[in-house]
DNA sequence: CGCTATATTGATGGCGATCAACAAATGTGG
DNA sequence: CCACATTTGTTGATCGCCATCAATATAGCG
């Protein structure tokens, strides 16, 4: 049994004092105040197999959670953007690795505190259950994408989804490289790049630099068509 | 707003009276007593988009939950065997279709009752949360299979998993046809059949009839090797 | 038995992976 | 600020796995 340790962190910024800012709380509970941590690009937040003592909320930046096989094959199960929670686990240990995709700030919540709160506050417990159901819903959507969608459909669906999460402006600013998109979509980075080029040649999007994409939302939707 | 109706069912077998049998309860709660229903092979239990008023537990048989695209592509997200719960949803409506793979008996629990119980009984709420986290964990495992595994690995992993769920005897009795296995693994039924033949020729398993498989667990594990 | 549903096996083709070269963006030190 | 190195992204050529189409075999069932 090892001692509970703090995670790797560049800079510790202690949370504000007496009047708790609402954005520091989890599920609106004043007793669940997060501690701010920052991670550099590509830095590991937690690794598969580590003790799952904390739950995280993204404040700034982007995080990927993924699984790897021994031969290096990787599957990214989700990208977490500002406002998103990640790090919930069934057992005592993480079954995923979490890494910062870009320079990232997160809020850290002690898992025991969350569980204590949930066991006393019914409303918080329901909200936590709902969050887990939401993750499950996302995973289920992703399974049909991975199992049954073509490469072009996957890339289009990904961009549409990112656009919606970033405000549905049609201007998507991708935080992650091609390789990460590929590992999220079950493709290679070359196939992702080709799909983007094809979507551009079809007039469904425009690439204003590799990470900046402008979508024609109507034509993009026509590509996925479920 | 439509009236809450009972699901399709062949035979209604009213639950036992005064002393509630433990196998009829959910999470060990005496107030959560299920009602037994039976469905024939290929019969729909609930459809995507329907009101999610019930949660189900398999008593006998097997159930598949799946999503479909408009052009007929299908992804089965899970097979539910005796003891398994299914039908939990985030919102008011089912986002999946559930169908009986074989002649099946389920217990039906009113969702409102479950939520009422969870809001009063902390222990039950935690168990329900844990069940959802378990489903999420399964979905995450399945994503790396769908995104990064070869056909042979998928079929081998599926058989190993089924063997474990059925008691790890090495004798797997498949309840579902090749087509369902294929739609679960993101393959075609021909590819599933070929993978089974190849595994047999490699001595990793023996087919005693299409639905009866005897595994060499050591050699099977060597195929998936994560 | 014969009828039907299910499974296996074969032949062929296409989508996406792999290997490779080049281009563009980013960063670094002089 | 520019020369150079490094990382990231695009595009091309080829290959292989799995899908598709097709034929046959087997199992289940009246």
């Amino acid at each position: 049994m090892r001692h509970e340790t703090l995670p790797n962190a560049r800079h510790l910024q202690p949370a504000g004092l007496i009047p708790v800012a609402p954005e520091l709380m989890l599920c609106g509970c004043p007793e669940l105040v997060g501690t701010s941590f920052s991670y550099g690009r590509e830095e590991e937040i937690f690794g598969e197999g580590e003790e799952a003592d904390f739950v995280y909320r993204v404040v700034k930046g982007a995080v990927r959670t993924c699984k790897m096989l021994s031969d290096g094959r990787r599957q990214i199960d989700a990208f977490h953007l500002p406002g998103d929670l990640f790090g919930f686990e069934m057992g005592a240990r993480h079954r995923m690795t979490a890494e910062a995709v870009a320079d990232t700030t997160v809020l850290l919540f002690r898992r025991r505190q969350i569980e204590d709160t949930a066991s006393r506050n019914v409303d918080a417990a329901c909200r936590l259950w709902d969050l887990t159901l939401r993750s499950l819903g996302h995973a289920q959507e992703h399974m049909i994408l991975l199992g049954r969608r073509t490469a072009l459909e996957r890339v289009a669906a990904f961009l549409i989804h990112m656009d919606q999460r970033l405000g549905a402006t049609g201007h998507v600013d991708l935080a992650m490289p091609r390789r990460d998109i590929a590992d999220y979509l079950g493709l290679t980075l070359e196939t992702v790049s080709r799909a983007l080029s094809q979507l551009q040649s079809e007039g469904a999007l425009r690439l204003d630099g590799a990470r900046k994409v402008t979508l024609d939302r109507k034509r993009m939707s026509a590509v996925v068509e479920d």
Side-chain angles (χ1 to χ4, degrees), chain A:
Chain A
M1 202 189 293
R2 74 169 182 74
H3 196 70
E4 185 176 272
T5 54
L6 287 176
N8 340 328
R10 281 277 173 73
H11 304 294
L12 169 55
Q13 299 159 357
L17 292 186
I18 302 305
V20 177
E23 62 272 19
L24 294 181
M25 305 188 306
L26 190 67
C27 300
C29 298
E31 70 262 45
L32 288 178
V33 177
T35 306
S36 181
F37 271 85
S38 288
Y39 298 90
R41 206 167 68 92
E42 297 294 299
E43 201 172 346
E44 179 173 305
I45 299 170
F46 58 76
E48 201 172 336
E50 287 181 12
E51 299 266 354
D53 295 326
F54 299 95
V55 168
Y56 304 77
R57 183 162 62 208
V58 181
V59 174
K60 191 178 70 69
V63 173
R64 61 176 180 250
T65 44
C66 62
K67 282 178 181 287
M68 288 210 30
L69 301 181
S70 53
D71 63 1
R73 285 177 285 180
R74 184 178 67 152
Q75 180 63 45
I76 293 176
D77 95 301
F79 292 111
H80 306 278
L81 303 182
D84 294 342
L85 280 153
F86 66 95
F88 282 107
E89 295 291 345
M90 178 175 46
R93 292 173 178 282
H94 285 296
R95 280 172 178 70
M96 294 269 187
T97 300
E99 293 150 332
V101 169
D103 290 346
T104 295
T105 304
V106 300
L107 286 176
L108 237 127
F109 301 90
R110 287 205 175 270
R111 188 177 167 183
R112 269 227 303 268
Q113 275 181 2
I114 292 174
E115 282 164 358
D116 282 3
T117 303
S119 71
R120 266 178 279 104
N121 182 339
V122 168
D123 204 50
C126 283
R127 246 179 276 192
L128 289 167
W129 187 16
D130 208 64
L131 280 169
T132 307
L133 280 169
R134 193 174 303 275
S135 293
L136 181 58
H138 168 267
Q140 288 167 343
E141 278 299 326
H142 206 54
M143 282 192 276
I144 191 165
L145 181 145
L146 292 172
R148 291 306 184 199
R149 293 280 193 190
T150 66
L152 204 71
E153 289 174 328
R154 293 182 204 197
V155 172
F158 170 71
L159 291 170
I160 290 171
H161 190 222
M162 288 303 280
D163 179 43
Q164 286 167 350
R165 294 172 74 185
L166 296 171
T169 61
H171 292 277
V172 183
D173 215 337
L174 298 168
M176 69 292 291
R178 296 290 184 263
R179 164 59 149 261
D180 284 1
I181 299 173
D183 283 347
Y184 178 65
L185 299 176
L187 301 169
T188 60
L189 63 91
E190 293 96 329
T191 299
V192 170
S193 183
R194 275 185 249 271
L196 287 166
S197 297
Q198 186 180 338
L199 288 167
Q200 183 168 37
S201 76
E202 288 174 3
L205 60 79
R206 192 167 30 111
L207 286 164
D208 318 309
R211 306 282 182 104
K212 290 209 186 301
V213 190
T214 304
L215 306 183
D216 181 327
R217 311 239 285 293
K218 206 175 171 82
R219 291 192 206 184
M220 289 294 288
S221 310
V223 174
V224 290
E225 168 144 47
D226 75 342

